[in-house]
Structure formats: structure tokens, C-alpha cells
Amino acid sequence: MDLYPLPRALTTSTYVYSLADAEEVAGWASDLGDRLPPMVEPSFLLAAAPRGVTAEQLGKVAIVTAAAFADSTDAAVEALAPLGCCPAAGRALQAQVAVPATFDGLFDAAAMFWPEGRRYAADTAWSNAELGDVVSRLREPILAAPSSESVVLATLSPEPRGVDPAADMAFSWPDGPCSTAMPCGRSEPTTK
């Protein structure tokens, strides 16, 4: 097993958009994983607006976020720069650009979308459709979700670099976005 040192400049950028911009942003973000260096982990979410952001449609927004696991601040800032190139970036409801982070901070940020003590029913699907098309089909369901804490997460994984994706694999690399819808509730489990 190889061990690697912790990144010295863990940095995040997060852009929050109106749900009205979700399809455009998702279409732009669909190949974001391919445009970013491997040290960056990007995600796209449909979720409740973060604190301090006013959302127009039932408190829901589209979010593009990424963490750069870099060895220098300059490398992290450069690696995250493509997030600011979204055609809708000027309409972002909130932009937190190249913010120094810690691993505890990443966990705290995730906890805003997946609060402790809740029950989730995750449903994951791969699609050959473009992410913008997938998001257009998920906009109404996220607005009608049973809880304001329900979330849709789309991974923005890059295509494998320098690897035959089907070589020696029981599971071939998917062609298209992966999205996971997670209705959330506060109900207590029943015991029999």
C-alpha cells in the first residue's frame, strides 16, 4: 500500500445558482471533471439554499462545488479557476472562490446537505443523457420532495485517463452522468 502526504493547500470553490439556471449550469458542468486536474473533486447538487442565500423557487438552488487537494495555494487557485468560467457565473447567487479548507471543514459542509439523525432513501441512476437533460427532469421532483432537506447529487467524474475503461473490469465505465436523488425525512424507524 502506498501512502501519500496530506495536501498542504486544501481549497474549495462553491457557486450557488438559481434553480432557473440549473439546466444551463448542469449542461456546462457535465464535462467539468474532464477539464479539471485529477487533484480536484467536483460535484453538482440540487438542494436547499445554504444559509445567507435567498432562493426563488421553494428554497431550492443548484450548486457547483469542488475541492482541490493541492500542494500550494497557487496550484489550488489555478486548478479551481475553471469553475468561474460558467456562462451563468455572473448570475450566481453566491460565489465562494478559492477558500482555504480543512478536512473537518469538508465534513461540516457535507453535513449541511446530509444532516445527522435523518433517514434517507437514496436512488442512484446512470444516464446516457447529458447532465442538463437529467437536471431538467429532476427540477420538478426536487421542488415536490417531501422534505426541504432532500437533495440530488450528480458526480462530475472525469473519463479515465490513459486507461482502457473496460479492460479487466467486471463493471465497465459508465457513459454519462451519475445522479443520486435522496429524499430526506425525520421519521423514526419502526420496530416490530
Side-chain angles (χ1 to χ4, degrees):
M1 172 172 54
D2 292 332
L3 298 176
Y4 298 93
L6 288 173
R8 294 190 306 258
L10 179 55
T11 307
T12 62
S13 286
T14 302
Y15 291 79
V16 179
Y17 297 95
S18 164
L19 207 55
D21 289 326
E23 290 172 50
E24 178 184 0
V25 173
W28 168 83
S30 64
D31 68 344
L32 190 58
D34 292 324
R35 291 182 273 137
L36 296 171
M39 72 169 115
V40 179
E41 181 180 304
S43 298
F44 176 90
L45 298 103
L46 298 177
R51 281 182 229 106
V53 175
T54 302
E56 300 156 359
Q57 293 183 297
L58 298 177
K60 297 292 184 176
V61 294
I63 301 171
V64 177
T65 186
F69 299 86
D71 288 325
S72 73
T73 300
D74 290 343
V77 169
E78 181 179 341
L80 293 168
L83 274 75
C85 297
C86 176
R91 297 189 306 271
L93 302 174
Q94 182 182 73
Q96 296 176 327
V97 182
V99 177
T102 63
F103 279 99
D104 285 341
L106 290 179
F107 297 135
D108 290 344
M112 290 187 321
F113 298 108
W114 296 280
E116 188 176 334
R118 305 301 193 270
R119 295 174 53 100
Y120 298 90
D123 190 4
T124 302
W126 293 100
S127 174
N128 288 329
E130 292 295 321
L131 183 58
D133 294 334
V134 172
V135 167
S136 73
R137 295 178 191 146
L138 292 173
R139 185 185 316 167
E140 292 306 317
I142 194 69
L143 288 171
S147 164
S148 63
E149 294 175 326
S150 297
V151 64
V152 172
L153 168 68
T155 58
L156 303 174
S157 302
E159 291 295 320
R161 297 172 181 161
V163 175
D164 176 5
D168 300 321
M169 291 186 187
F171 175 76
S172 296
W173 192 263
D175 182 25
C178 171
S179 61
T180 304
M182 291 176 254
C184 174
R186 295 177 185 246
S187 63
E188 294 297 319
T190 57
T191 56
K192 296 186 181 202

